[in-house]
Amino acid sequence: MGKVYVFDHPLIQHKVSLMRMKETSVKDFRELAKEVAMLMGFEATRQLPLEEVEIETPICKTKTYMLKGEDVAIVPILRAGLGFVDGMLALIPNAKVGHVGLYRDPETHKPVEYYCKLPVDVDKRQIIVVDPMLATGGSAVAAIDFLKQRGGTNITFMCLIAAPEGIEVLQKAHPDVDIFIAAKDDCLNEDAFIVPGLGDAGDRLYGTR
Ligand code: PRP
């Protein structure tokens, strides 16, 4: 079963609280998303494998450690996941970025795919899927299904706020995937919105409501 890591760092909790407030502006919400992505990304990348390499400092040759292999792919679930990309790229500038476009049908609450473009070598990369919200879990499960169909094996999922229902669904569907979250909320309401949550993350990032 994949592990669930809840980040209780005070800076993350403070920024998530600001993002939850309904009066927070689009500009502030976007900036906070970037900041939280950086703080979370710092921890979520803790398990990246290293390899020993020999380098030469101005003083002498020495052995040291660098990231191993083909590096990282960040995969935002469109569109709200885009809000996490800049923060992650600030940490890992050489990461490649794949996009999975899904929206949740307002009637059925099921994810509908409309776009998928991934790095060609995604199967060799450490993949970090990002999306601010894990509600029913349908979108995360579908996105990770696509990645596995294209050879992805080493996948983690990072989100801001998760409902217990979504965590359970994701863990059952993809028990190999670790889940990194900033806050575990109470439940879903009848519209499948996270309670207390922060509303619709896409609308809050892009001012579409
Ligand atoms: C939201 C959110 C997730 C999804 C979570 O996206 O960003 O992708 O819902 O819900 P789930 O766990 O029940 O699948 P939305 O469908 O609102 O699309 P958007 O990002 O384009 O706004």
Side-chain angles (χ1 to χ4, degrees), residues 21 29 49 82 126 150 154 163 175:
M21 291 176 188
F29 191 92
L82 288 175
Q126 306 274 330
R150 288 160 179 81
N154 211 325

Side-chain angles (χ1 to χ4, degrees), residues 16-22 29 79-80 104 131-135 160-161 185 187-189 191-205 209:
V16 172
S17 298
L18 290 171
M19 294 178 80
R20 289 183 188 276
M21 291 176 188
K22 65 179 184 184
F29 191 92
R79 79 199 144 136
R104 208 170 61 163
D131 190 337
M133 311 303 276
L134 180 65
L160 206 56
I161 296 179
D185 274 10
C187 58
L188 297 176
N189 67 14
D191 297 320
F193 271 83
I194 300 175
V195 180
L198 51 70
D200 184 313
D203 285 337
R204 298 206 59 189
L205 272 167
R209 185 168 299 189

Side-chain angles (χ1 to χ4, degrees), residues 77-81 102-104 109 111 114 131-140 192 200-203:
I77 302 178
L78 304 181
R79 79 199 144 136
L102 293 170
Y103 71 88
R104 208 170 61 163
H109 304 146
Y114 59 90
D131 190 337
M133 311 303 276
L134 180 65
T136 66
S139 304
D200 184 313
D203 285 337

Side-chain angles (χ1 to χ4, degrees), residues 15-200:
K15 289 175 194 296
V16 172
S17 298
L18 290 171
M19 294 178 80
R20 289 183 188 276
M21 291 176 188
K22 65 179 184 184
E23 62 270 28
T24 297
S25 69
V26 170
K27 171 180 172 288
D28 288 346
F29 191 92
R30 206 179 285 147
E31 287 173 5
L32 287 160
K34 179 177 177 182
E35 291 165 14
V36 173
M38 286 178 70
L39 292 167
M40 291 185 73
F42 185 71
E43 270 305 310
T45 49
R46 180 178 285 280
Q47 285 116 334
L48 288 182
L50 292 172
E51 64 185 346
E52 194 177 64
V53 293
E54 190 171 88
I55 60 157
E56 197 166 356
T57 75
I59 308 300
C60 66
K61 284 187 178 173
T62 186
K63 288 189 173 151
T64 185
Y65 292 93
M66 297 186 81
L67 290 174
K68 185 179 177 185
E70 294 286 340
D71 240 329
V72 173
I74 313 291
V75 179
I77 302 178
L78 304 181
R79 79 199 144 136
L82 288 175
F84 273 14
V85 173
D86 284 353
M88 293 298 286
L89 287 177
L91 286 183
I92 320 166
N94 286 323
K96 289 192 176 171
V97 181
H99 296 85
V100 175
L102 293 170
Y103 71 88
R104 208 170 61 163
D105 184 288
E107 301 295 324
T108 65
H109 304 146
K110 299 273 183 232
V112 182
E113 183 200 356
Y114 59 90
Y115 189 75
C116 185
K117 183 80 178 172
L118 300 171
V120 285
D121 57 354
V122 74
D123 54 319
K124 299 191 188 67
R125 291 183 174 260
Q126 306 274 330
I127 302 169
I128 305 175
V129 180
V130 294
D131 190 337
M133 311 303 276
L134 180 65
T136 66
S139 304
V141 168
I144 295 169
D145 283 343
F146 293 143
L147 288 163
K148 288 186 174 174
Q149 282 160 18
R150 288 160 179 81
T153 52
N154 211 325
I155 303 171
T156 57
F157 181 79
M158 190 177 110
C159 78
L160 206 56
I161 296 179
E165 296 90 327
I167 294 174
E168 199 182 325
V169 166
L170 180 52
Q171 280 189 311
K172 273 203 186 123
H174 295 295
D176 54 314
V177 172
D178 287 344
I179 304 170
F180 296 91
I181 64 181
K184 182 174 171 180
D185 274 10
D186 299 340
C187 58
L188 297 176
N189 67 14
E190 61 279 7
D191 297 320
F193 271 83
I194 300 175
V195 180
L198 51 70
D200 184 313

